[in-house]
Amino acid sequence: MTERHRPGASPPLDFTGFYEAHFHRLAVQLYAYLGDHAEAQDLTQEAFCRVLERWDRIGAYDDPSAWVRRVAWNLATSRLRRVRTAVRHLARQREEHVAGPGPDRVALTVALAALPANQRRAVVLHHLAQLSVAEIADQLGAPEGTVRSWLTRGRAALASHLTDRQEAHRA
């Protein structure tokens, strides 16, 4: 690539003329390389944006198109590497089939959903998160007696709901 500065010479084209003269040709090259027209145009555009930032210097090169071509090809090669890496990563991923929730879990979820929010929160925090009454009270900003009340009422409602469901299921 010849990126030599011509001493005392001015750029042969302004940037707009340079862009119009070289964009399409470079985009076609990248399209053939990448196989994706939109991606080729995006990368060609990125290369020209980088040239524009440095046009005062690059425009004075013997062949500024060599600079923009090198940048565009480097961008395309980097993009292909990233895509290959992503494809390899996805190929190593295994799809795991997990059985759906059992009937007991579904019944518990339905029963919990039927509780008022405060009772549900207290039951979940106490029995699933294993927090003490004091910890729940602190987290929810409620007195400990209120948390104990929520737990008592929530357990009673769950027991009633789950017992009713078992009896209906047996019949």
Side-chain angles (χ1 to χ4, degrees):
M1 171 164 80
T2 57
E3 294 182 359
R4 285 175 285 181
H5 177 71
R6 292 177 301 199
S10 61
L13 296 172
D14 65 343
F15 180 78
T16 303
F18 174 74
Y19 179 86
E20 290 171 353
H22 297 282
F23 181 87
H24 180 71
R25 193 168 127 205
L26 185 53
V28 168
Q29 292 171 26
L30 293 185
Y31 171 52
Y33 181 56
L34 296 169
D36 183 333
H37 191 314
E39 188 71 23
Q41 287 184 327
D42 287 348
L43 293 175
T44 304
Q45 187 67 33
E46 174 64 25
F48 274 97
C49 286
R50 291 181 184 189
V51 168
L52 180 59
E53 293 172 353
R54 301 164 178 85
W55 185 245
D56 290 343
R57 183 173 45 94
I58 294 169
Y61 288 172
D62 286 339
D63 186 8
S65 64
W67 193 93
V68 75
R69 186 173 47 252
R70 169 57 73 198
V71 169
W73 277 87
N74 286 346
L75 289 169
T77 300
S78 294
R79 185 68 51 100
L80 283 177
R81 283 185 191 129
R82 281 194 301 276
V83 167
R84 267 196 312 258
T85 300
V87 167
R88 281 194 308 264
H89 174 73
L90 288 174
R92 288 189 305 258
Q93 302 305 307
R94 294 190 181 137
E95 185 174 332
E96 291 185 31
H97 297 281
V98 178
D104 291 341
R105 176 131 191 185
V106 171
L108 178 60
T109 302
V110 169
L112 282 168
L115 295 178
N118 288 333
Q119 291 175 19
R120 181 173 54 244
R121 199 173 307 131
V123 168
V124 167
L125 289 173
H126 187 68
H127 293 286
L128 296 178
Q130 298 179 344
L131 296 181
S132 69
V133 171
E135 291 170 321
I136 296 169
D138 185 51
Q139 181 173 331
L140 301 180
E144 289 183 33
T146 302
V147 171
R148 280 192 285 278
S149 172
W150 289 339
L151 284 170
T152 301
R153 290 179 186 160
R155 287 180 192 133
L158 283 175
S160 172
H161 189 276
L162 294 175
T163 303
D164 291 345
R165 187 180 182 290
Q166 281 180 339
E167 288 173 0
H169 185 61
R170 287 183 193 152

